[in-house]
Amino acid sequence: MTEKRMSRWYFGGLASCGAACCTHPLDLIKVHLQTQQEVKMRMVGMAVHVVKNDGLLALYSGLSASLCRQMSYSLTRFAIYETVRDMMGSKSQGPMPFYQKVLLGAFGGFTGGFVGTPADMVNVRMQNDVKLPPELRRNYKHAIDGLMRVFREEGMRRLFSGATMASSRGALVTVGQLACYDQAKQLVLGTGMMGDNIFTHFLSSFIAGGCATFLCQPLDVMKTRLMNSKGEYTGVMHCLRETAKLGPLAFYKGLVPAGIRLIPHTVLTFIFLEQLKKNFGIRIIS
């Protein structure tokens, strides 16, 4: 008889919140870098600028919106992916083929991206507020206040501004993170050199984080620009054309900070998730 632990549907959301608390300052700097029209500062310079102007706690500006986003976006995508994968795995008595993981990851990520769009938009705005002059700041008290004010002042449609971009990015990130993590872990365990331990989880999630960063960076840049716009873009295609005018590398603006943020976030998420599964998961004896 062997005992196996399966993830509960909400573990992905909890693990993502834990990771977001650790990597939020990197996310904030990434947003600042992507929303500058001309490249004036690099990553370290931007971090120093934020701390010098607004203090150390400014690096955690918008944390409530970030956690709200993880509990909508990440909870949805992990719940869909892990529930369907475990259901199909128990029927077929073996791991899913990679193409099925990719399709499932894309569907879960697209749905999660749409559900998480309002929280994501408030998150971007709260992080970028620090950069604006005091008279132009939106000054949301927290995520819920931000959501309520956007709904009251700008209407329901504005809450889902950039939903196409957020959903598409969600699909790519989930393929990069969840499908690639599962596949990398399967390949690492298949070598027989490493067991199902924290080192395997670290290596697999590091590979997954790299894949996710490269896949979604162009969409991430456009999503940030759309969500932060004050009406200067008429739509996705207009934003695409305006960004393209800055050259092809404009789509990879902030790639290093995005990688520095997304790779640790992916590593921490999966390490937290595996520990939650190991200690609090559903016991299955076969």
mmCIF file of all heavy atoms in Angstrom, residues 125 128-140 149 228 230:
data_model
loop_
_atom_site.group_PDB
_atom_site.id
_atom_site.type_symbol
_atom_site.label_atom_id
_atom_site.label_comp_id
_atom_site.label_asym_id
_atom_site.label_seq_id
_atom_site.Cartn_x
_atom_site.Cartn_y
_atom_site.Cartn_z
ATOM 1 N N ARG A 125 -2.497 50.192 -10.947
ATOM 2 C CA ARG A 125 -2.713 51.605 -10.630
ATOM 3 C C ARG A 125 -2.122 51.982 -9.274
ATOM 4 O O ARG A 125 -1.515 53.036 -9.127
ATOM 5 C CB ARG A 125 -4.213 51.920 -10.635
ATOM 6 C CG ARG A 125 -4.806 52.005 -12.036
ATOM 7 C CD ARG A 125 -6.252 52.406 -11.967
ATOM 8 N NE ARG A 125 -6.781 52.696 -13.297
ATOM 9 C CZ ARG A 125 -7.968 53.254 -13.501
ATOM 10 N NH1 ARG A 125 -8.735 53.577 -12.471
ATOM 11 N NH2 ARG A 125 -8.396 53.501 -14.725
ATOM 12 N N ASN A 128 1.626 52.186 -9.524
ATOM 13 C CA ASN A 128 2.101 53.310 -10.332
ATOM 14 C C ASN A 128 1.803 54.661 -9.692
ATOM 15 O O ASN A 128 2.394 55.671 -10.067
ATOM 16 C CB ASN A 128 1.472 53.241 -11.730
ATOM 17 C CG ASN A 128 2.318 53.954 -12.760
ATOM 18 O OD1 ASN A 128 3.515 53.686 -12.868
ATOM 19 N ND2 ASN A 128 1.740 54.880 -13.482
ATOM 20 N N ASP A 129 0.898 54.680 -8.695
ATOM 21 C CA ASP A 129 0.526 55.923 -8.008
ATOM 22 C C ASP A 129 1.732 56.639 -7.403
ATOM 23 O O ASP A 129 1.799 57.863 -7.410
ATOM 24 C CB ASP A 129 -0.492 55.608 -6.893
ATOM 25 C CG ASP A 129 -1.777 56.396 -7.070
ATOM 26 O OD1 ASP A 129 -2.017 56.887 -8.193
ATOM 27 O OD2 ASP A 129 -2.531 56.530 -6.095
ATOM 28 N N VAL A 130 2.659 55.841 -6.880
ATOM 29 C CA VAL A 130 3.857 56.372 -6.223
ATOM 30 C C VAL A 130 4.634 57.286 -7.176
ATOM 31 O O VAL A 130 5.233 58.271 -6.756
ATOM 32 C CB VAL A 130 4.771 55.194 -5.757
ATOM 33 C CG1 VAL A 130 6.022 55.707 -5.074
ATOM 34 C CG2 VAL A 130 4.005 54.281 -4.820
ATOM 35 N N LYS A 131 4.583 56.949 -8.468
ATOM 36 C CA LYS A 131 5.373 57.673 -9.475
ATOM 37 C C LYS A 131 4.743 58.995 -9.885
ATOM 38 O O LYS A 131 5.423 59.876 -10.399
ATOM 39 C CB LYS A 131 5.490 56.787 -10.733
ATOM 40 C CG LYS A 131 6.908 56.540 -11.165
ATOM 41 C CD LYS A 131 6.957 55.486 -12.238
ATOM 42 C CE LYS A 131 6.426 55.978 -13.559
ATOM 43 N NZ LYS A 131 6.583 54.986 -14.618
ATOM 44 N N LEU A 132 3.423 59.126 -9.699
ATOM 45 C CA LEU A 132 2.712 60.314 -10.180
ATOM 46 C C LEU A 132 2.883 61.496 -9.229
ATOM 47 O O LEU A 132 3.074 61.304 -8.028
ATOM 48 C CB LEU A 132 1.216 59.999 -10.334
ATOM 49 C CG LEU A 132 0.825 58.908 -11.337
ATOM 50 C CD1 LEU A 132 -0.654 58.559 -11.172
ATOM 51 C CD2 LEU A 132 1.096 59.333 -12.763
ATOM 52 N N PRO A 133 2.785 62.748 -9.751
ATOM 53 C CA PRO A 133 2.795 63.910 -8.848
ATOM 54 C C PRO A 133 1.574 63.871 -7.932
ATOM 55 O O PRO A 133 0.516 63.351 -8.328
ATOM 56 C CB PRO A 133 2.739 65.110 -9.800
ATOM 57 C CG PRO A 133 2.348 64.572 -11.128
ATOM 58 C CD PRO A 133 2.723 63.125 -11.159
ATOM 59 N N PRO A 134 1.680 64.406 -6.688
ATOM 60 C CA PRO A 134 0.592 64.270 -5.693
ATOM 61 C C PRO A 134 -0.799 64.639 -6.206
ATOM 62 O O PRO A 134 -1.780 63.974 -5.869
ATOM 63 C CB PRO A 134 1.024 65.215 -4.562
ATOM 64 C CG PRO A 134 2.508 65.256 -4.675
ATOM 65 C CD PRO A 134 2.835 65.113 -6.134
ATOM 66 N N GLU A 135 -0.928 65.692 -7.062
ATOM 67 C CA GLU A 135 -2.261 66.116 -7.525
ATOM 68 C C GLU A 135 -2.895 65.140 -8.518
ATOM 69 O O GLU A 135 -4.113 65.157 -8.728
ATOM 70 C CB GLU A 135 -2.210 67.537 -8.136
ATOM 71 C CG GLU A 135 -1.414 67.675 -9.432
ATOM 72 C CD GLU A 135 0.099 67.854 -9.213
ATOM 73 O OE1 GLU A 135 0.565 67.740 -8.057
ATOM 74 O OE2 GLU A 135 0.796 68.101 -10.209
ATOM 75 N N LEU A 136 -2.086 64.246 -9.128
ATOM 76 C CA LEU A 136 -2.621 63.287 -10.100
ATOM 77 C C LEU A 136 -2.831 61.885 -9.517
ATOM 78 O O LEU A 136 -3.318 60.991 -10.191
ATOM 79 C CB LEU A 136 -1.696 63.182 -11.318
ATOM 80 C CG LEU A 136 -1.621 64.408 -12.248
ATOM 81 C CD1 LEU A 136 -0.590 64.186 -13.339
ATOM 82 C CD2 LEU A 136 -2.979 64.703 -12.880
ATOM 83 N N ARG A 137 -2.436 61.705 -8.264
ATOM 84 C CA ARG A 137 -2.545 60.369 -7.651
ATOM 85 C C ARG A 137 -3.999 59.977 -7.404
ATOM 86 O O ARG A 137 -4.830 60.822 -7.085
ATOM 87 C CB ARG A 137 -1.765 60.319 -6.335
ATOM 88 C CG ARG A 137 -0.265 60.376 -6.550
ATOM 89 C CD ARG A 137 0.512 60.245 -5.268
ATOM 90 N NE ARG A 137 1.938 60.376 -5.544
ATOM 91 C CZ ARG A 137 2.885 60.292 -4.620
ATOM 92 N NH1 ARG A 137 2.569 60.075 -3.367
ATOM 93 N NH2 ARG A 137 4.161 60.426 -4.964
ATOM 94 N N ARG A 138 -4.272 58.685 -7.542
ATOM 95 C CA ARG A 138 -5.647 58.188 -7.333
ATOM 96 C C ARG A 138 -5.913 57.908 -5.853
ATOM 97 O O ARG A 138 -7.049 57.903 -5.413
ATOM 98 C CB ARG A 138 -5.855 56.911 -8.159
ATOM 99 C CG ARG A 138 -5.774 57.184 -9.669
ATOM 100 C CD ARG A 138 -6.022 55.916 -10.479
ATOM 101 N NE ARG A 138 -6.069 56.181 -11.903
ATOM 102 C CZ ARG A 138 -5.067 55.938 -12.743
ATOM 103 N NH1 ARG A 138 -3.926 55.441 -12.292
ATOM 104 N NH2 ARG A 138 -5.195 56.185 -14.030
ATOM 105 N N ASN A 139 -4.840 57.613 -5.110
ATOM 106 C CA ASN A 139 -4.910 57.416 -3.649
ATOM 107 C C ASN A 139 -5.973 56.418 -3.203
ATOM 108 O O ASN A 139 -6.798 56.707 -2.334
ATOM 109 C CB ASN A 139 -5.137 58.764 -2.926
ATOM 110 C CG ASN A 139 -3.934 59.673 -3.054
ATOM 111 O OD1 ASN A 139 -2.788 59.222 -2.989
ATOM 112 N ND2 ASN A 139 -4.171 60.957 -3.259
ATOM 113 N N TYR A 140 -5.972 55.215 -3.787
ATOM 114 C CA TYR A 140 -6.865 54.158 -3.308
ATOM 115 C C TYR A 140 -6.354 53.696 -1.942
ATOM 116 O O TYR A 140 -5.156 53.479 -1.766
ATOM 117 C CB TYR A 140 -6.858 52.964 -4.273
ATOM 118 C CG TYR A 140 -7.346 53.267 -5.680
ATOM 119 C CD1 TYR A 140 -6.792 52.602 -6.777
ATOM 120 C CD2 TYR A 140 -8.357 54.190 -5.917
ATOM 121 C CE1 TYR A 140 -7.232 52.857 -8.073
ATOM 122 C CE2 TYR A 140 -8.804 54.450 -7.204
ATOM 123 C CZ TYR A 140 -8.235 53.786 -8.281
ATOM 124 O OH TYR A 140 -8.668 54.043 -9.553
ATOM 125 N N ARG A 149 -14.221 52.320 -6.220
ATOM 126 C CA ARG A 149 -14.092 53.651 -6.833
ATOM 127 C C ARG A 149 -14.058 53.579 -8.360
ATOM 128 O O ARG A 149 -14.656 54.417 -9.034
ATOM 129 C CB ARG A 149 -12.844 54.361 -6.294
ATOM 130 C CG ARG A 149 -13.146 55.106 -4.995
ATOM 131 C CD ARG A 149 -11.976 55.890 -4.486
ATOM 132 N NE ARG A 149 -11.418 56.792 -5.492
ATOM 133 C CZ ARG A 149 -10.259 57.416 -5.360
ATOM 134 N NH1 ARG A 149 -9.538 57.229 -4.264
ATOM 135 N NH2 ARG A 149 -9.806 58.221 -6.303
ATOM 136 N N ASN A 228 -2.823 51.150 -17.514
ATOM 137 C CA ASN A 228 -2.380 52.396 -16.901
ATOM 138 C C ASN A 228 -2.717 53.618 -17.751
ATOM 139 O O ASN A 228 -2.461 54.741 -17.355
ATOM 140 C CB ASN A 228 -0.870 52.333 -16.648
ATOM 141 C CG ASN A 228 -0.493 53.160 -15.450
ATOM 142 O OD1 ASN A 228 -1.091 53.047 -14.392
ATOM 143 N ND2 ASN A 228 0.464 54.039 -15.629
ATOM 144 N N LYS A 230 -4.652 56.653 -19.707
ATOM 145 C CA LYS A 230 -5.742 57.582 -19.373
ATOM 146 C C LYS A 230 -6.500 57.917 -20.656
ATOM 147 O O LYS A 230 -6.858 59.058 -20.901
ATOM 148 C CB LYS A 230 -5.176 58.832 -18.718
ATOM 149 C CG LYS A 230 -4.723 58.619 -17.278
ATOM 150 C CD LYS A 230 -4.500 59.946 -16.580
ATOM 151 C CE LYS A 230 -4.406 59.779 -15.072
ATOM 152 N NZ LYS A 230 -3.154 59.214 -14.645
#
